[in-house]
Amino acid sequence: MSRAHLAPPAPAELEWIQPFVDASVLSAVDVGFGALVDRMLVPRAQNPADRQSVVLAAALCSRAPRLGHVALDVTTVASTAAVDVPARVHDTAGTEPLEWPDPEMWLATLQRFFRNGWLDPVVRGGQNRLDTGEPAALMVFANGLLYLERYFAYEERVAASLRGLANAPTVGSDAALEAIAAMLPGDGPQRRAAEHALSNRLTVIAGGPGTGKTYTITRVLAALIADATRPVRIGLAAPTGKAASRMKEALYAAATDLAEGPGLADLNTSTVHRLLGYRDGIRFRHDRNNPLPFDVVVVDEASMVSLPLMGRLVDAIGSDTRLVLVGDPYQLASVEAGAVLGDITRTDGVVGESIVALSEARRFAESSGVAKLSEAIRLGNADRALDILGDPTFSDVALTDLADSAPILQRAVVNGCAALELAAGGDGPGALDRIGHTKLLCGTRKGDNGRDAWQARIETGVLSAISGRAHRGRWYVGKPVIATANDYLLGLFNGDTGIVVQHDGRRRVVFPDSGNPEPLDPAQVGQLDTWWTMTIHKSQGSEFNHAVIALPDTGSPILTRELLYTGVTRAKEQVTVVATAEAVRAAIGNPIRRASGLAALLS
């Protein structure tokens, strides 16, 4: 591996840690944190080998949140390090295998150092610091996990708030329950979920695609509106602008079906950041001292909410507000640290009693290949998944190798050319719908089967097949785009999709499903990316008629069960997986394991 890919050399006193730097397990920041801890431990003159194991743990603790972990679990970190290494680093030729401490001895060393006070004031215990008056420290050691101080505080905050909500006295009224009984007859899980949401301060509705999560929530909101003796204050949010837009579409659809339709159609949706009053990278307008002014807060796609953001959200839930979290715990977790919804759904106790699982998929027929494939992936059954992908009786799923993917490229180019013609006529919604009919969802950005390569193939094919000055230049008419950052001034959010159209003789970009559907000069809009393809991570909260899932080769650290499951469940009608059978098997056999103590705290 070339030195250009490596972090700077470790300081002389930490020369022993250099192999972890060369393997791209540790960054310069991590090594610097470890060096700080080493200097604090040196005066205690402990056994050098013991001190090295503590310093290595500290450096890995620094690294943990950057890779999605809330804390460091020394008993599993060695087996998951290959998955955690950044995707940009694969060339490890010439490096020696890493020498990890024995997991049990490593944990025992940390426990002994902590118990004997040798880590004071570097590490404190897991007792609530506000209750004990314990001073702040660099790290927290609790339940066998080593945390950076602030991430343990986030877990404490989320656990305490959710337990408090779950323990709160019941709320609701007979009128609301009668209304929901009329809208959801029978005694199925949707009815039970709705009744729980109408009667309790905390409800978690968990389920896969097409199980009726959003359908249930719209009926809950309609029952609340129908029962209210005064206007009910409802806050609706999702982690991304795209997911918030889909939530709004569901409200409009329910408005045509229900007597309380006008009330549903008037409800606004937003991102979680906007709901909380995002100010900068740290502060929000709403917190425990200025709680959200709502009677009920509903958060859709909750699997994408990180631990820090969930901490901010529960902090802002007032004493009279009920909270409803909705999502699929088997999807990819947030890009940032934590897998909060997954942790919640693995808990028991009073919080566990607040969970209602929806399992009956209604989007697909029982014989649907898409439904059977997603279930096989969720259960970790690679043999079954490959059998389904190779079974010709399932016409809605297929597995193809990159070398045989020309028909997929041709279909994308045909749809793209049709979209360009619609955009030239000013039909932004129609053009976007055509482009979104068949959508390439890629596991990675780089590589022959990555987003950048597929994007170049499709765009080149489309622009080569269509003529006209309008379809030339950086902002050619028909160019699909996706917002990559929130723009509160324009009302655009990360994940909003748009397209360049011909409008009054000028090129304008429109975002039909966003909070701002007005034609905009491309120069007005901040951070945009081309949207012929997208990563699977970015696709969360979206749906496409035909989802084409492009996976990296085996050995890629990004190749996980949740990645494949999330991609497949974006499909409304059809799935094609572009990968080798070995890559599919590797993905299904590699579930994401994020170190977290939230489930234990909740229980």
Side-chain angles (χ1 to χ4, degrees):
M1 185 188 296
S2 68
R3 172 59 64 180
H5 288 89
L6 304 179
E13 65 271 19
L14 294 186
E15 185 178 4
W16 57 269
I17 213 171
Q18 189 65 43
F20 291 87
V21 179
D22 292 344
S24 296
V25 171
L26 296 177
S27 71
V29 172
D30 306 328
V31 173
F33 187 77
L36 172 63
V37 171
D38 185 61
R39 288 193 297 272
M40 299 176 78
L41 292 177
V42 166
R44 301 166 195 271
Q46 301 302 325
N47 179 288
D50 283 351
R51 197 170 76 238
Q52 285 184 8
S53 68
V54 173
V55 171
L56 178 59
L60 291 167
C61 183
S62 164
R63 157 191 179 272
R66 191 172 66 251
L67 295 164
H69 301 286
V70 177
L72 169 69
D73 184 347
V74 297
T75 64
T76 62
V77 66
S79 62
T80 61
V83 174
D84 291 340
V85 172
R88 61 182 172 80
V89 179
H90 292 291
D91 181 16
T92 57
T95 60
E96 295 295 324
L98 295 175
E99 294 186 10
W100 294 91
D102 176 81
E104 293 185 5
M105 293 181 63
W106 198 1
L107 180 60
T109 298
L110 288 176
Q111 291 171 333
R112 185 174 72 256
F113 267 52
F114 176 74
R115 200 165 45 240
N116 293 340
W118 294 335
L119 289 177
D120 181 46
V122 183
V123 179
R124 70 173 180 87
Q127 298 84 8
N128 189 312
R129 184 160 55 88
L130 297 178
D131 294 339
T132 64
E134 212 174 341
L138 294 178
M139 295 174 286
V140 173
F141 186 61
N143 300 319
L145 300 176
L146 188 63
Y147 298 79
L148 293 178
E149 164 91 23
R150 69 179 179 275
Y151 284 93
F152 184 75
Y154 287 138
E155 274 200 349
E156 279 190 316
R157 183 181 304 168
V158 171
S161 296
L162 293 183
R163 287 198 308 267
L165 287 169
N167 274 315
T170 57
V171 294
S173 69
D174 292 339
L177 293 174
E178 290 172 5
I180 206 67
M183 287 183 271
L184 295 172
D187 189 32
Q190 288 184 335
R191 169 77 171 272
R192 293 196 296 274
E195 289 180 341
H196 194 281
L198 290 170
S199 305
N200 294 273
R201 294 278 309 286
L202 175 67
T203 301
V204 181
I205 301 177
T211 53
K213 300 185 298 295
T214 305
Y215 182 91
T216 302
I217 284 301
T218 56
R219 272 59 189 173
V220 169
L221 298 177
L224 287 170
I225 293 171
D227 176 51
T229 56
R230 60 172 176 79
V232 62
R233 302 169 301 169
I234 298 172
L236 304 175
T240 66
K242 185 66 176 178
S245 294
R246 282 191 55 211
M247 203 175 185
K248 185 70 173 175
E249 292 168 8
L251 292 172
Y252 279 129
T256 63
D257 298 336
L258 300 171
E260 298 301 325
L264 289 175
D266 291 340
L267 295 176
N268 293 317
T269 61
S270 74
T271 64
V272 178
H273 282 84
R274 190 168 190 179
L275 186 79
L276 292 172
Y278 180 82
R279 288 179 173 173
D280 52 37
I282 300 175
R283 295 175 300 171
F284 292 88
R285 184 168 65 253
H286 294 290
D287 54 24
R288 67 181 63 186
N289 298 317
N290 181 29
L292 290 163
F294 300 115
D295 300 303
V296 58
V297 171
V298 178
V299 179
D300 199 10
E301 298 289 353
S303 64
M304 298 161 60
V305 180
S306 67
L307 176 68
L309 185 57
M310 186 64 78
R312 301 288 188 181
L313 175 66
V314 297
D315 219 26
I317 298 297
S319 58
D320 296 323
T321 302
R322 69 185 82 187
L323 175 64
V324 183
L325 301 176
V326 186
D328 184 348
Y330 297 101
Q331 283 188 26
L332 282 166
S334 64
V335 176
E336 298 179 66
V340 178
L341 185 65
D343 286 339
I344 292 172
T345 55
R346 289 190 298 107
T347 192
D348 50 21
V350 66
V351 174
E353 294 171 1
S354 301
I355 303 165
V356 184
L358 306 182
S359 58
E360 183 182 349
R362 301 165 183 262
R363 181 186 303 169
F364 306 106
E366 189 173 340
S367 58
S368 160
V370 176
K372 292 183 180 299
L373 176 61
S374 61
E375 181 69 0
I377 296 169
R378 185 182 70 80
L379 295 175
N381 191 336
D383 289 337
R384 176 61 175 153
L386 288 169
D387 286 345
I388 294 167
L389 285 167
D391 190 337
T393 61
F394 293 120
S395 59
D396 57 340
V397 297
L399 174 67
T400 186
D401 195 80
L402 178 61
D404 300 320
S405 62
I408 294 171
L409 177 60
Q410 182 181 9
R411 187 179 309 170
V413 169
V414 169
N415 285 335
C417 290
L420 262 64
E421 293 179 358
L422 290 167
D427 184 2
L432 266 183
D433 182 68
R434 192 62 185 264
I435 288 173
H437 189 279
T438 297
K439 182 58 65 175
L440 263 295
L441 309 177
C442 304
T444 61
R445 296 178 65 92
K446 304 300 180 183
D448 290 341
N449 210 18
R451 195 211 71 141
D452 294 352
W454 271 106
Q455 187 120 284
R457 291 184 201 116
I458 296 172
E459 187 171 50
T460 299
V462 170
L463 296 181
S464 299
I466 201 161
S467 60
R469 290 186 59 189
H471 305 302
R472 298 293 178 263
R474 179 185 177 191
W475 298 108
Y476 59 86
V477 172
K479 178 178 182 175
V481 294
I482 182 170
T484 58
N486 296 332
D487 189 326
Y488 294 100
L489 187 63
L490 291 178
L492 299 177
F493 297 94
N494 188 2
D496 283 344
T497 53
I499 193 162
V500 179
V501 299
Q502 195 80 15
H503 179 77
D504 291 340
R506 302 172 71 88
R507 299 182 188 190
R508 293 289 182 263
V509 59
V510 293
F511 295 84
D513 297 328
S514 74
N516 183 1
E518 296 301 316
L520 302 169
D521 188 315
Q524 286 181 265
V525 188
Q527 299 179 46
L528 295 178
D529 201 353
T530 308
W531 190 61
W532 289 110
T533 63
M534 67 195 307
T535 63
I536 295 174
H537 275 88
K538 276 282 188 183
S539 74
Q540 291 187 91
S542 300
E543 290 181 346
F544 308 99
N545 288 23
H546 182 187
V548 180
I549 316 303
L551 297 179
D553 292 333
T554 56
S556 169
I558 202 74
L559 198 58
T560 63
R561 183 185 302 172
E562 290 79 3
L563 182 86
L564 181 56
Y565 175 84
T566 300
V568 167
T569 55
R570 299 310 91 205
K572 291 194 286 187
E573 298 175 1
Q574 189 173 0
V575 165
T576 300
V577 179
V578 182
T580 63
E582 292 77 13
V584 171
R585 185 177 296 279
I588 295 174
N590 183 32
I592 292 174
R593 290 165 288 180
R594 287 191 168 182
S596 165
L598 181 59
L601 286 174
L602 287 170
S603 298

